[in-house]
Amino acid sequence: MKKFIVFLCLWIFLIAGCSKNDTETEQPSSLEHGNDHLKNSYMINSEYFIYDDEDIYILRHNEDSSYSIMYLDSDNMIYTYLCPQLSCTHSDETCPSYVQPFDGCSYLAKQGEKIVLLTRGNNITIPPGIRTMSLSGDNPKKLIQFEMSQNLLSPYVLGDDSIYFVLQSTEETDSGAVSTVNYLMKVNTGTGKEDVIAVMNPTNTLIGAISDKFVMSEADNQQRAIYFMEQNGEKGEPVFIYDASDGIVFICDNKLYFIDCASSSICLINDDGTLTEYMPLPFSASVSTSFIRHITDSAIIMDNSVYNSAANDMTVTKYYIDLENKEVKTNNFTINSDGKNMPFTIYALQDDRVIGIIDYEYTEKVEFMDDGSSFTYTAQTPVFAKFDFDDFFSGNMEYTVFKNIG
């Protein structure tokens, strides 16, 4: 009998051990192994648009402070709501293209065959969250909703089926004090599963990714230190240290670059932290007047502003900087908006095309209040147009206008 009991206990122990091993095999930890393929989200930015060679999506600001996801078909020249529903008013959350009013920015990402929308909420009644839908607006899904005391910080990094970002959380300590904690997060865009990769210092910033590692910046007053972080949260030593007023760090084609304002040149940041001048810039660069607006696979577009004291205005020139061929193209086209000449905003670069707003249409609208009173206001609708790439960067401003069927 004792032998039987010993045998039974041993058998149960072995079965339990096998079950544990099977469970661990079925649920590998991507945070431990760090096997996700990371991609910089430079199509996601504070100007509310994303694009690639096939599709263009933008977040359009509405009169009631809400936003609408709009789709631009640059082959058929159509501009419309990303909504497949017939007779939809596009004015509330029953519409997949509708985005509630928010403070700061919301961000779009195209990941495979779906759109990922990150909304930052308004810190009062609307919490931040993540939504997904198909590329045509079908199958909308609220993936995750965060707390009102939390905020999503840009930029974002895309994985195979995940999105990475910094979650800023206002929390109360055991002593009753309130502090801000930053978490580097991984969220699966299919299941909504959340993982905390690392607890970050509030002075740390996510820049992007290179070779499937996160590129981080750490601030110490004016000084910035750039370092890499593994997907399991392990932090490396600083690879480059610079003063924030000296230049701009950016990532393109899996390389780390530095715009050196002292020499007005673009430099490569070497593995040992030294700089190698890569190409000169045709303007005097400054962190206060030079801004990177787009980063493609092999080029950047920068705006550089020059103040004209005699005319009391600012001239903005766009520079297309081809990092692969070390060539620079320019354009200083402006459009008229409410009687002001505004710098032209590029919304997409597709193969040999440039897409952006060339005008606004103004419509008088009447809003009725609950008490029966009403007021009239003017709504503006952007007019999008398509330019030939070479024409645009050679001063030929011929274009084709999109048909607005929204």
Side-chain angles (χ1 to χ4, degrees):
M1 185 65 178
K2 287 183 179 179
K3 290 182 179 180
F4 174 77
I5 293 174
V6 170
F7 173 80
L8 181 61
C9 292
L10 180 62
W11 180 78
I12 292 173
F13 174 79
L14 291 173
I15 290 296
C18 291
S19 299
K20 183 177 186 295
N21 290 335
D22 288 344
T23 301
E24 290 177 347
T25 303
E26 291 173 359
Q27 298 178 352
S29 171
S30 61
L31 298 185
E32 290 179 6
H33 300 290
N35 56 359
D36 208 355
H37 300 294
L38 304 182
K39 176 185 176 184
N40 289 305
S41 59
Y42 37 64
M43 300 312 178
I44 313 173
N45 54 52
S46 58
E47 294 180 276
Y48 318 129
F49 57 88
I50 56 171
Y51 67 91
D52 55 23
D53 288 337
E54 298 177 355
D55 299 307
I56 307 168
Y57 302 87
I58 71 165
L59 278 173
R60 189 186 70 187
H61 191 198
N62 301 318
E63 293 80 24
D64 64 352
S65 296
S66 69
Y67 287 76
S68 297
I69 306 174
M70 309 296 293
Y71 176 69
L72 284 83
D73 183 339
S74 56
D75 288 326
N76 299 307
M77 297 303 295
I78 294 172
Y79 168 58
T80 186
Y81 288 94
L82 185 67
C83 174
Q85 302 174 153
L86 298 176
S87 304
C88 183
T89 62
H90 314 297
S91 59
D92 56 44
E93 288 193 307
T94 61
C95 173
S97 74
Y98 177 82
V99 183
Q100 289 181 312
F102 52 80
D103 287 343
C105 304
S106 284
Y107 297 86
L108 288 166
K110 181 182 177 184
Q111 188 179 50
E113 295 301 310
K114 65 174 175 282
I115 293 292
V116 184
L117 173 69
L118 293 86
T119 56
R120 291 182 63 177
N122 65 1
N123 302 118
I124 302 172
T125 58
I126 304 171
I130 302 177
R131 288 164 47 192
T132 61
M133 66 191 72
S134 73
L135 298 182
S136 59
D138 287 311
N139 305 316
K141 178 182 178 182
K142 286 188 176 182
L143 192 67
I144 187 171
Q145 182 170 292
F146 296 98
E147 300 295 327
M148 198 70 70
S149 58
Q150 296 175 319
N151 192 16
L152 312 183
L153 305 182
S154 65
Y156 306 96
V157 171
L158 294 172
D160 295 326
D161 55 4
S162 300
I163 191 163
Y164 301 83
F165 55 90
V166 174
L167 178 68
Q168 188 177 76
S169 182
T170 302
E171 301 175 0
E172 186 175 325
T173 63
D174 294 338
S175 63
V178 176
S179 64
T180 299
V181 183
N182 288 353
Y183 300 96
L184 180 60
M185 300 291 297
K186 173 183 179 179
V187 173
N188 186 293
T189 54
T191 65
K193 181 179 182 294
E194 303 172 63
D195 285 305
V196 176
I197 297 176
V199 179
M200 299 168 54
N201 189 296
T203 61
N204 294 155
T205 304
L206 172 65
I207 295 179
I210 290 180
S211 301
D212 294 337
K213 296 179 181 179
F214 299 105
V215 182
M216 316 294 290
S217 172
E218 185 169 9
D220 182 7
N221 294 320
Q222 276 290 99
Q223 198 172 70
R224 302 288 184 270
I226 304 299
Y227 63 92
F228 291 94
M229 179 180 285
E230 302 286 345
Q231 290 186 36
N232 62 5
E234 183 178 338
K235 177 182 173 182
E237 294 297 320
V239 296
F240 180 59
I241 298 175
Y242 68 104
D243 192 275
S245 62
D246 289 344
I248 304 166
V249 171
F250 70 93
I251 300 167
C252 185
D253 190 27
N254 224 33
K255 300 182 184 70
L256 200 57
Y257 290 93
F258 180 67
I259 296 176
D260 186 352
C261 294
S263 62
S264 289
S265 62
I266 296 178
C267 302
L268 274 170
I269 301 176
N270 302 313
D271 292 340
D272 61 0
T274 60
L275 297 177
T276 300
E277 183 170 323
Y278 186 74
M279 63 180 291
L281 290 171
F283 56 87
S284 180
S286 164
V287 294
S288 60
T289 61
S290 307
F291 301 94
I292 298 177
R293 298 301 187 190
H294 294 259
I295 302 179
T296 72
D297 290 334
S298 60
I300 62 173
I301 289 185
M302 290 191 69
D303 286 355
N304 190 66
S305 304
V306 177
Y307 178 68
N308 184 341
S309 57
N312 192 28
D313 65 4
M314 193 80 72
T315 300
V316 180
T317 302
K318 291 191 180 299
Y319 294 89
Y320 179 85
I321 302 170
D322 185 337
L323 295 170
E324 184 176 3
N325 299 308
K326 298 185 179 180
E327 296 177 349
V328 180
K329 300 177 183 289
T330 63
N331 183 288
N332 57 3
F333 180 47
T334 60
I335 65 169
N336 185 289
S337 177
D338 286 336
K340 299 178 182 178
N341 288 328
M342 304 295 292
F344 179 80
T345 299
I346 294 175
Y347 275 80
L349 297 165
Q350 289 185 303
D351 294 332
D352 56 355
R353 307 164 177 168
V354 176
I355 287 95
I357 294 174
I358 50 91
D359 201 356
Y360 290 91
E361 293 177 348
Y362 299 93
T363 308
E364 291 269 325
K365 291 192 175 184
V366 178
E367 187 79 18
F368 292 94
M369 309 297 288
D370 293 338
D371 61 3
S373 62
S374 64
F375 64 94
T376 303
Y377 64 97
T378 301
Q380 67 175 29
T381 303
V383 178
F384 283 88
K386 177 175 70 175
F387 298 79
D388 177 82
F389 182 91
D390 290 332
D391 283 352
F392 182 82
F393 285 107
S394 61
N396 183 0
M397 292 295 100
E398 295 183 8
Y399 53 81
T400 307
V401 174
F402 283 77
K403 181 180 179 182
N404 186 352
I405 61 172

